[in-house]
Amino acid sequence: MYQPAITGTGVFTPSEIITNDELVAAFNAYADRMNAENADAIAAGEMEAIQHSSTEFIIAASGIENRYVLNKSGVLDPEVMAPILRERSDEEPGVMAEMAVDACTKALEQAGVDAAEVDAVLCAASNHERAYPAIAVEIQKLLGCGGFGFDMNVACSSATFGIQAAADMIRAGSIRKALVVNPEICSAHLEWRDRDCHFIFGDVCTAVLLEREEDAKGPHFTIRSTRLATEFSNNIRNNNGFLRRTRNGHMQDRRDMLFMQEGRKVFKQVLPMVSAHIAAHMADEGIAKEDLKRIWLHQANKTMNDFIGKKVMGRVPTPEEQPNILQDYANTSSAGSIIAFSKFSEDMETGDIGLICSFGAGYSVGSVIVERKFV
Ligand code: COA
């Protein structure tokens, strides 16, 4: 068995930012227009008026202040309320592959590794822009990696599930180096016309490079242990899929073909699941609360992270111990914990132990215990 390590990380951040105030102004303009157009139906009680959104609610309920998106103008146009992305020919790189190349290149540079040395590319994300060929195979070609690539989807937990899959292949010796990349275009499966969720998501792409520890050329994180768990739930669901055209009326603009959630239930059910998962993982690895120097959590909601952080550490963690990036990026699905890990880990010292944890639809939860090492 070989020892896997994370030797590089990379983050691609889109250039366009939407603030809460901009988002709320666009949503409220949309609501006013819809309510005016349907004034008779609303007066007759056949339709409910759309309520305004508010920045105060968004901050209090989620902690989110801004989100990065691939296209701002479409999202903020009350006539459109969705990102508009240029149509690409089959000969051009796909959008996900293009984001992935940026993030992967940064991870490879950090590790001092040439793309040709990589044996496996795992594109692990909560949605894929086409059914096939796999996005990972396109990324493999664009970067010039060897070996193979495949796509996987475990929603918000995709990154940690991808890390376990790659780490296990390195442990077993079937590969030496792998890129796990998470291009998340959440703006394209978010219903921007629904005030309950219109503030939740943003776009980003993260990548981690995993290698045999003996190959690491510089500072890195040994993967001490990984653990995954799933438990079926409909409380976060998106019904869009290839059977859509087989069902009468399913090609229409239907609410259930985008992200849907029962936010309160998610809160109540996922928090104990995640807290128990992390506690059991740490106990089985002989890691006490006071041994943990840092936790990089899934970035969905500040209150959720505060709750989990306190359970895991046994006290309120400092912002340095539990860094949040959701105020700047919003929820970026599987990429969130990896953004936090990438941006807030370089200062760690030899022997420091940290835990990456992502969770979400499925339900799913994945944890990765890492230890800082220097060559
Ligand atoms: N502006 C103003 N008011 C709003 C609003 C908005 N944008 N959106 C909802 N409201 C209203 C609701 O209609 C509700 O009103 P009511 O009490 O009169 O019915 C009230 O605010 C509370 O709404 P609720 O949905 O219960 O808020 P919440 O405190 O649960 O926060 C979430 C909503 C989504 C932020 C929260 O539930 C959450 O984060 N859940 C888990 C998210 C998660 O991790 N999901 C995983 C996705 S990967």
Side-chain angles (χ1 to χ4, degrees):
M1 296 288 250
Y2 300 94
Q3 175 60 54
I6 296 174
T7 57
T9 62
V11 181
F12 162 79
T13 302
S15 58
E16 303 194 11
I17 301 177
I18 300 180
T19 65
N20 284 343
D21 286 347
E22 289 174 312
L23 187 73
V24 166
F27 180 89
N28 291 348
Y30 162 79
D32 291 345
R33 188 172 65 80
M34 290 299 288
N35 290 341
E37 276 174 20
N38 296 288
D40 292 345
I42 293 167
E46 293 156 11
M47 199 181 141
E48 276 191 30
I50 302 173
Q51 304 292 311
H52 274 191
S53 182
S54 82
T55 296
E56 297 69 35
F57 173 85
I58 294 170
I59 295 276
S62 70
I64 296 165
E65 294 168 23
N66 298 303
R67 69 280 300 141
Y68 293 92
V69 289
L70 291 183
N71 172 257
K72 176 174 175 169
S73 60
V75 170
L76 294 186
D77 183 345
E79 306 275 338
V80 181
M81 303 291 279
I84 302 168
L85 301 179
R86 181 180 65 81
E87 197 173 333
R88 297 180 179 207
S89 77
D90 290 354
E91 274 53 62
E92 289 178 272
V95 185
M96 288 179 73
E98 198 168 79
M99 297 162 78
V101 166
D102 182 284
C104 288
T105 302
K106 289 169 181 156
L108 289 164
E109 276 170 12
Q110 191 181 57
V113 168
D114 195 272
E117 299 173 59
V118 173
D119 309 305
V121 178
L122 278 61
C123 179
S126 59
N127 239 314
H128 292 88
E129 75 182 86
R130 61 171 180 265
Y132 41 80
I135 314 292
V137 180
E138 188 185 5
I139 300 165
Q140 176 199 16
K141 182 195 150 214
L142 291 170
L143 287 168
C145 300
F148 59 90
F150 63 86
D151 292 350
M152 51 189 289
N153 174 357
V154 201
C156 290
S157 297
S158 298
T160 49
F161 277 60
I163 288 172
Q164 172 163 308
D168 283 351
M169 286 188 273
I170 290 171
R171 273 191 198 103
S174 58
I175 62 167
R176 256 187 119 105
K177 299 182 199 299
L179 280 162
V180 180
V181 57
N182 324 106
E184 292 288 5
I185 312 178
C186 300
S187 64
H189 54 107
L190 173 61
E191 179 51 277
W192 297 92
R193 296 168 297 184
D194 180 348
R195 80 164 181 164
D196 287 340
C197 66
H198 78 121
F199 54 90
I200 288 183
F201 287 118
D203 301 333
V204 81
C205 180
T206 50
V208 292
L209 179 73
L210 279 77
E211 299 183 72
R212 278 189 196 171
E213 184 163 40
E214 65 198 63
D215 292 345
K217 298 184 184 77
H220 58 274
F221 285 91
T222 298
I223 297 180
R224 291 217 356 195
S225 172
T226 60
R227 179 169 295 189
L228 313 177
T230 52
E231 205 176 287
F232 187 71
S233 166
N234 278 321
N235 289 331
I236 311 172
R237 192 170 169 118
N238 181 333
N239 280 335
N240 196 10
F242 79 104
L243 292 182
R244 192 171 178 179
R245 67 195 296 270
T246 68
R247 295 176 178 139
N248 198 17
H250 279 228
M251 295 304 280
Q252 285 158 19
D253 181 14
R254 286 169 56 116
R255 179 67 191 87
D256 66 331
M257 298 298 166
L258 294 165
F259 167 84
M260 294 189 303
Q261 81 164 345
E262 297 277 352
R264 287 267 150 197
K265 287 187 187 162
V266 173
F267 229 102
K268 282 206 187 98
Q269 293 165 3
V270 168
L271 285 180
M273 181 182 174
V274 172
S275 307
H277 177 95
I278 296 174
H281 192 185
M282 284 170 53
D284 290 349
E285 294 301 321
I287 293 168
K289 290 175 173 170
E290 45 281 4
D291 297 336
L292 210 53
K293 284 282 179 314
R294 201 153 299 175
I295 43 177
W296 303 278
L297 294 177
H298 175 48
Q299 301 285 315
N301 183 289
K302 183 170 183 308
T303 311
M304 263 177 136
N305 283 10
D306 289 348
F307 181 94
I308 295 168
K310 198 171 163 193
K311 279 260 175 212
V312 171
M313 292 261 184
R315 59 180 168 79
V316 177
T318 65
E320 289 73 32
E321 289 170 326
Q322 188 211 301
N324 278 336
I325 54 86
L326 60 86
Q327 64 282 1
D328 303 320
Y329 281 84
N331 182 344
T332 50
S333 195
S334 70
S337 58
I338 306 298
I339 305 174
F341 174 63
S342 180
K343 290 189 184 290
F344 297 98
S345 57
E346 278 191 8
D347 61 313
M348 289 176 73
E349 292 169 5
T350 303
D352 282 353
I353 293 172
L355 180 135
I356 304 170
C357 182
S358 57
F359 46 86
Y363 296 134
S364 56
V365 51
S367 49
V368 180
I369 297 173
V370 294
E371 182 178 335
R372 185 64 160 162
K373 294 268 181 73
F374 289 81
V375 176

